[in-house]
Amino acid sequence: MAVDQKPGASSTSPDGSKPASKVTKKKDEKKEEDLSDEDLALKQQLELYVERVQDAEQGVQKLALESMRQEIRTATSSMTSVPKPLKFLRPHYGSLKAFFETMPESDLKKYLADILSVLALTMSAEGERESLKYRLLGSEGDIGSWGHEYVRNLAGEISQEFAKRQYDDLPLDTLMELVQQIVAFHMKHNAEPEAVDLLMEVEDLELLVEHVDATNYKRACLYLTSSSSYLPSTDDLLASDIAFTIYTKFEDYASALRIALFIDNTQYVKQIYTSTEDLLLKKQFSYIIARHGLVLEIDEDIAPDDDDREALQEIVNNVKLSEGYLALARDIEVMEPKSPEDIYKVHLIDGRASASSSLDSARQNLAATFVNAFVNAGFGQDKLMTVTSESSSGSSGNWLFKNKEHGKASAAASLGMILLWDVDSGLSQIDKYLHSNDNHVVAGALLGIGIVSCGVKNDCDPALALLIDYINKDDTIIRIGAILGLGIAYAGSLKDELRIRLSLILGDPKTPLEVLVFSAITLGLVYVGSCNEEIAQSIILALMERSDAELGEPLTRLLPVALGLLYLGKQDNVEATAEVSKTFNDKIRKYADITLLSLAYAGTGNVLKVQKLLGYCAQHLEKGENYQGPAVLGIALIAMAEELGLDMAIRSLEHLLQYGEQNIRRAVPLALGILCISNPKVNVMDTLSRLSHDTDGDVSMAAIISLGLIGAGTNNARIASMLRNLSSYYYKEAGHLFCVRIAQGLVHLGKGLLTLSPYHSDRFLLSPTALAGLVTVLHACLDMKSTILGKYHYMLYILVLAMQPRMLMTVDENLKPISVPVRVGQAVDVVGQAGRPKTITGFQTHSTPVLLAAGDRAELATDKYIPLSSVLEGFVILKENPDSHDDR
C-alpha cells in the first residue's frame, strides 16, 4: 500500500517540504521523490493509524485516533508550509470519509469528525465547506488548539454557509455557537480585525461588545470606525454605534464623543456628558464640540451647578478662541501686521509686473482689501483698516474710500475678518461705519459684524440684535449685507427667529432676486444638515415662482445650493426633495437635481453616487445646459471622505480634464481645490499650475483660485512663487490678476496659522458649517465672471466659516496655557496592525503651542501629564500624572 501511494504523496509538493521539518539525519538526495528516513517513518506510522481507525475493535480505533490527533496537533503548530501529517494523510482522506459515514453515532465518530475537519483544511474541494461540515458534526472541544490557520479557514467557510442558510431560511443556532468560539479565540490572539470581519459577515456585531477587554478595545474600535467608510449605508452607522458602545463601556468618553459627533447624534452627546462627574473631562468635551461647530445648550442635566454650567457654556460658545489664537501668534512671533505688499513681494518678480502693480486701480485696491483681510485674519491689527490713533480715523477712512461702490462694502467687512472671533472689541470698532451715509459702507459693516461673530456664540446675541432690523430696509445692498452677516454669524445654530423672518422674505414675490438668493443661502447655512422641511418648501416655492429670465441668471443657481445645504451629508433624507426638484423649470431642473445629490452625499465616500455623477460628466450637452459643473464638484465632495477615495477621485478628475468638454474642465480645478484644501499635494499642485496657463480664461481663473485653496494657510513657498510668476504673466488681465491676488491672500491666511480644511480630529470628523461655507463659495466660483469678479466678491468672506487655527494648545486644569514637549510628525495609519505600532513617523519635538500641518499628528513627549483627549488637536486639557517618573 505504501509503495503505491508514494508518488501520489510527493506529487503534492515535489521537495517533500523538507525545509520545514527538523531533520536530524542527512537527507537522501538520490531522487526528488525520496523522503528522509524520519519522514518515511512518519508516513508509514500514519498509514498504520489509518488502517487501525478502520479496525472493528473500538479500543484500537480510539488509540489510533488519539495518536493521529496528537501527530496533527504537534505539526500544526508550525504553519510555514503544509504540515507533514496533513500531506501524508491526503491520499486517505477519501477512505476515511467513507468509513466515517458507516460508523455508528458515538464519541469516536465525533473524534474522527474533528480530524476530518482539520484534514479538509487542505483537501476538500473548493466551495464544499467540508471543514465546517465535520466541525459541526464533531466534538465541542476547543477549536484554537488546532491552530490559527484552521480557525481562519473555518471563519471563511462560516460566512459562506451563513449566506446560504439565510437565503434558504435554515436555522443558524449551531453556526452562531461556533462564531462565539471563533470570536473569543481571535480577540485573545490580537486578531481583532478578523473577529470584526466575521461578525459583520454573520450580521451580529453586537457580540463584539462582550468579547472586547481593556487591552484590545482601542484596536477593535479603530478598525470599526475606519471600516465604516467602506460599508454600505445602515451598516456603517451600526459599526459606529458599536464603537460608541464599546468606548463608553471602557469609559473612554472623549473617543465616544467623537463617534457621537461623527454620526451626528445629539442624544449621544448629552449621554456622554451625563455619564461622568469629572468637570475637567466635561470641559475637554466642550472644547471638542466647539471645534466641531455644534451648537449645544448646556442644561442642568449636564452640569447641575450654575458656575460649572456657565464655564462649560463659555467653552462651547468658543469665547476663548481668540485668546488662544493670539497666544499662539505671540509664541510664534507673528503678531507684526502685514501689508498686501509684503505678500506680493513685487521685488522678486522680473521687470514688467512691477510697473503695473503701482497703478492705483479700484480693482487692485479691492484685491488688496481681501489679501489684507485674509493675511491678518484674527490678529486684530493691520496696516490698512485698523491703523492706530496717530492719524485718528483718517487713514482707515482713506483706505475705505480708495474703493468704489460695492468695493467699499468688502473693505468695511474686512474689518470683521481682521478682528475675527474678538466680538467685544470687534463690534465697537465696526460700529462707527454703521452710521455712514454711504449704503455700501453700512452694508459692509453689517457683514463685518456677522464675520466677527463667526463661530463664537454669545448669550445676548449682539449680532442678531444689530442686524435683524436691517433685513427689511429699502436698499438692496444693505439687506444683503445684513442677511449674509446673519448667515455667517449663526451658521449651524438652527435659530428659529431667523427662519421666521427670512421665510417671509422668501415668500414675498416682490423680493429682488439677489436678496432672495442670499436669504436662501443664509437659511441653508443656519439650518445646515437639519433636513428642515419648512425651509425646503419655502426655497422650492421661491424657485418655482420665478420667471424664465430670472432662472437664467447665474445667481439663481445658488438657490439649489441653499436647498442642498439643508441636507448636507444626510444621504437618503434628501429623496423627497429630490423628487420635487424634478418638477422644476427645465432651465434649472438638472442643475438642482445634481446639486442636491452631491451635497446630500458630501463627505460620505459613497462610491455608487460618484459613479452616477461620473455618468453625468460623460454626457454631451445641448447648448446652454450647465449641470456638469456641480457634478464634477460633487465627485470631489463625496470622495473627500477618506484617503483612498481621494486619490482615486484625483485620478478620475485627470481623465475628465483630458476627455471632458469645456464646462467640465472649468470645474475640475475647483474640485481639486476642495479635495486637497489646505493640503498642497505635489501632483495636484503641478496639475493646477499647468491649468493656470490654460487658453480658456475660466479654466485658468479657477485653477488660480484653487492654488490658493490647496495652499490655504500653509505659506507654501512653491505655490507662493507660482502665484508671483502668474501675477507677472497676467499683468494686463484684470480678472486674472484679481484671482492671483485672492490666491496669494489665501496661501498666507492668518500668516500661516489658519486652515480651511473642514476635517479635524485626525481627519475623522467633518465640520458641517465649515463644509457649507466652502461649498457655497465653490459654487459661486463656477461662474466667476458674474459673482466673484462681478459685484458679489464679498461672497469670498463666506470662507470664514471654514477658518480654524491649525494649532495644538495645551492648557492646565485652570485652562491656562502651559508649555509641554510634544512630538509632531506625519500620521501613520495603524489600523489592523499587530502590537503597538508607532502612530507617527519622522517626528520633531517642539514645545506647545505648536502648528499642525495637514496629515500631522502630535503626541506628548513627557509622562508628567495625562491628556484628557486621545487626539491632540486644538485645545487639550492636561492633568498631572500622579505616577510620573519624569522629573523635567
Side-chain angles (χ1 to χ4, degrees), residues 522-734:
T522 286
L523 280 173
L525 293 173
V526 173
Y527 280 84
V528 62
S530 67
C531 305
N532 188 303
E533 292 296 326
E534 283 179 50
I535 298 174
Q537 284 308 117
S538 310
I539 297 176
I540 288 167
L541 289 172
L543 255 171
M544 288 176 162
E545 285 167 5
R546 292 287 151 170
S547 65
D548 273 16
E550 285 182 312
L551 289 176
E553 289 281 321
L555 206 55
T556 316
R557 290 181 212 147
L558 290 172
L559 285 174
V561 177
L563 193 54
L565 289 177
L566 297 172
Y567 297 97
L568 190 69
K570 287 289 173 272
Q571 308 196 25
D572 306 345
N573 295 343
V574 78
E575 282 175 4
T577 310
E579 280 305 311
V580 179
S581 75
K582 293 190 169 64
T583 62
F584 288 170
N585 185 310
D586 286 355
K587 273 193 173 168
I588 203 157
R589 179 192 321 154
K590 216 50 185 280
Y591 194 96
D593 199 31
I594 290 173
T595 305
L596 281 173
L597 172 80
S598 64
L599 292 188
Y601 287 90
T604 59
N606 188 312
V607 188
L608 299 173
K609 299 297 179 239
V610 172
Q611 286 173 344
K612 191 171 179 181
L613 292 172
L614 278 168
Y616 286 128
C617 294
Q619 296 168 4
H620 290 286
L621 293 192
E622 307 295 315
K623 192 86 185 103
E625 286 199 284
N626 49 19
Y627 61 77
Q628 288 180 327
V632 176
L633 281 183
I635 292 169
L637 289 173
I638 296 172
M640 67 197 280
E642 32 79 41
E643 292 293 332
L644 198 64
L646 192 140
D647 289 338
M648 287 161 72
I650 292 174
R651 281 231 299 284
S652 299
L653 291 171
E654 285 284 348
H655 294 311
L656 289 179
L657 271 181
Q658 288 164 357
Y659 308 115
E661 309 206 351
Q662 209 51 32
N663 56 350
I664 290 181
R665 295 187 70 235
R666 287 171 188 165
V668 167
L670 296 169
L672 289 170
I674 182 83
L675 275 174
C676 301
I677 195 150
S678 291
N679 179 13
K681 293 192 171 188
V682 178
N683 54 339
V684 176
M685 209 189 300
D686 292 343
T687 304
L688 290 175
S689 174
R690 192 178 76 233
L691 292 175
S692 62
H693 296 82
D694 200 272
T695 45
D696 182 292
D698 290 324
V699 175
S700 50
M701 283 196 283
I704 293 167
I705 289 282
S706 291
L707 275 172
L709 290 173
I710 67 167
T714 59
N715 283 349
N716 186 291
R718 191 162 164 219
I719 295 182
S721 104
M722 279 178 194
L723 292 170
R724 278 199 297 277
N725 295 338
L726 285 166
S727 72
S728 78
Y729 182 76
Y730 286 120
Y731 78 109
K732 282 189 177 158
E733 313 253 346

Side-chain angles (χ1 to χ4, degrees), residues 426-443:
L427 295 181
S428 60
Q429 288 198 47
I430 296 169
D431 186 60
K432 59 182 179 212
Y433 294 120
L434 285 177
H435 310 298
S436 165
N437 301 328
D438 188 322
N439 284 344
H440 288 99
V441 176
V442 176

Side-chain angles (χ1 to χ4, degrees), residues 142-145 147-149 151-152 179-191 211:
D142 169 27
I143 53 168
S145 58
H148 263 95
E149 200 56 39
V151 178
R152 290 177 62 169
V179 168
Q180 284 263 24
Q181 287 184 36
I182 293 178
V183 170
F185 176 80
H186 277 327
M187 293 308 275
K188 257 198 220 82
H189 294 82
N190 297 336
H211 284 288

